[in-house]
Amino acid sequence: MRDVYDLNIDTDVNVQLSDCRQEDARAVFGVLDHYYVLEDVEAPAPAGAAPVTTVWMATFDTSGGRREEVSPPALSGKVVATLTGGYHAVGEVEKVLAAGFDIESIQAVSGDQETEARLLLAPR
């Protein structure tokens, strides 16, 4: 029975970025896109459109991708990142972010099969 369960582990991680500029959100998503498969992204509002988008969301599949390490981009400030998904998948995304940014764990909420990690990303 364990083999059946292992085949169904969720590898998708939903990443929400807030309290940051659009350029910083693109920089963080760019790092993850070089490492994992970008499955879905919510396009930011066009410049000058109202209301101003304050949360950017994307979903990454951690089971595949290019696994290209990139130089961490410069952030203009701190970024709040909320990661939601399976325990292993969220842990893997945290490791990739920690390789490129200074991270501080703000909060973690654990469920039966999913976890949510809230991180504060800062430039190095």
Side-chain angles (χ1 to χ4, degrees), residues 82-123:
T82 303
L83 315 176
T84 307
Y87 285 92
H88 179 74
V90 167
E92 291 299 310
V93 171
E94 280 189 58
K95 288 179 192 175
V96 170
L97 292 173
F101 307 100
D102 284 334
I103 65 170
E104 175 185 337
S105 178
I106 299 174
Q107 178 182 18
V109 178
S110 300
D112 184 29
Q113 296 181 13
E114 279 194 340
T115 187
E116 179 178 289
R118 193 162 182 203
L119 310 170
L120 186 60
L121 309 177

Side-chain angles (χ1 to χ4, degrees), residues 20-93:
C20 67
R21 296 176 49 195
Q22 182 176 358
E23 295 79 16
D24 291 337
R26 286 184 180 175
V28 173
F29 287 155
V31 167
L32 294 174
D33 188 36
H34 276 87
Y35 207 80
Y36 300 116
V37 175
L38 174 63
E39 289 192 336
D40 187 29
V41 66
E42 182 180 307
V52 177
T53 301
T54 57
V55 176
W56 290 267
M57 295 182 287
T59 303
F60 294 90
D61 180 357
T62 62
S63 67
R66 298 177 280 183
R67 308 274 194 233
E68 295 175 1
E69 293 187 28
V70 295
S71 299
L75 297 178
S76 65
K78 295 181 179 181
V79 176
V80 175
T82 303
L83 315 176
T84 307
Y87 285 92
H88 179 74
V90 167
E92 291 299 310
V93 171

